[in-house]
Amino acid sequence: MENTDLESINGKSHDPNTPEAVLENYLDEHDYEIFRALNANGRISDTELAERVGLSRTAVRRRREKLQEGDVLEILAVIVLQEADLADAQILVSFDQHVSSDVRKQFITKLIDEGLVYNTSSCLGEYDLMFSAWHTDLNSLKEYVWDLFDGEEIVNNYTIIPLLKTWKAWDKELDRP
């Protein structure tokens, strides 16, 4: 009998495109349930978490602490920009290929230190870097990006992609189309 048949009999399907499947090498079933509960409510007590996950409070606390200490799990607050009526955008950046790696590192560090930049990632393909930024409105956001790039020889080209509607963010459904 094939493995997929056994999984179907046991009531489990192994869809490789689920969060559980992607995380199975990093989190076991209990750790994943701890993550889901904390993602829904980061202030949940260990006692309530234990009840939801089906483990003792001590076991849940140990697992949560291990995940946090290993930097696999971080509990944080996120401003839902759309709900606060704030503008945000993805900015794709192509670097001048003649600049040194030190100049690239300095520019990336500058973005990391910016308070209105909430994500900075290296990427492959047409662009070298993608970052996410927010501001009060799209015009202010555009001016903010211009100011970030002012005097920067590293930036060869960039594209600002304003985000107009978000249906899901950080595993939280905000709206349905």
Side-chain angles (χ1 to χ4, degrees):
M1 187 179 290
E2 288 185 29
N3 193 23
T4 53
D5 292 338
L6 285 175
E7 290 168 345
S8 297
I9 291 170
N10 293 331
K12 296 181 180 180
S13 71
H14 189 62
D15 179 353
N17 298 315
T18 63
E20 298 90 341
V22 171
L23 293 171
E24 71 185 354
N25 292 326
Y26 306 97
L27 305 175
D28 68 17
E29 184 177 331
H30 290 300
D31 288 343
Y32 181 74
E33 288 304 316
I34 290 169
F35 154 72
R36 284 179 41 98
L38 287 168
N39 194 41
N41 176 5
R43 298 181 64 180
I44 189 172
S45 71
D46 286 340
T47 302
E48 189 175 345
L49 192 55
E51 290 172 11
R52 288 191 187 183
V53 175
L55 295 173
S56 71
R57 185 177 60 82
T58 303
V60 163
R61 186 183 71 247
R62 276 193 214 129
R63 283 175 174 265
R64 179 187 47 75
E65 288 174 348
K66 182 180 176 187
L67 291 168
Q68 287 178 283
E69 288 167 5
D71 291 330
V72 174
L73 178 71
E74 186 171 337
I75 301 168
L76 54 98
V78 176
I79 295 172
V80 182
L81 300 170
Q82 177 175 293
E83 299 302 315
D85 201 25
L86 296 166
D88 69 312
Q90 303 292 309
I91 298 89
L92 301 167
V93 182
S94 295
F95 290 154
D96 178 336
Q97 299 304 308
H98 298 97
V99 298
S100 69
S101 63
D102 285 342
V103 171
R104 287 193 298 274
K105 288 176 186 176
Q106 288 172 0
F107 182 73
I108 292 167
T109 299
K110 173 183 173 178
L111 293 176
I112 290 169
D113 292 340
E114 282 292 320
L116 297 177
V117 172
Y118 63 91
N119 179 37
T120 305
S121 302
S122 178
C123 50
L124 295 172
E126 184 179 346
Y127 295 96
D128 300 300
L129 186 77
M130 182 206 74
F131 70 95
S132 307
W134 60 283
H135 215 294
T136 53
D137 55 65
L138 287 174
N139 191 51
S140 297
L141 181 56
K142 181 173 78 170
E143 289 179 18
Y144 174 68
V145 171
W146 285 353
D147 288 344
L148 285 175
F149 294 160
D150 190 33
E152 292 290 347
E153 296 174 23
I154 188 172
V155 177
N156 185 45
N157 188 23
Y158 67 93
T159 300
I160 299 174
I161 303 171
L163 303 177
L164 302 177
K165 178 75 173 170
T166 302
W167 290 279
K168 181 178 178 180
W170 298 105
D171 206 35
K172 179 181 178 175
E173 182 180 315
L174 302 175
D175 206 354
R176 290 228 170 226

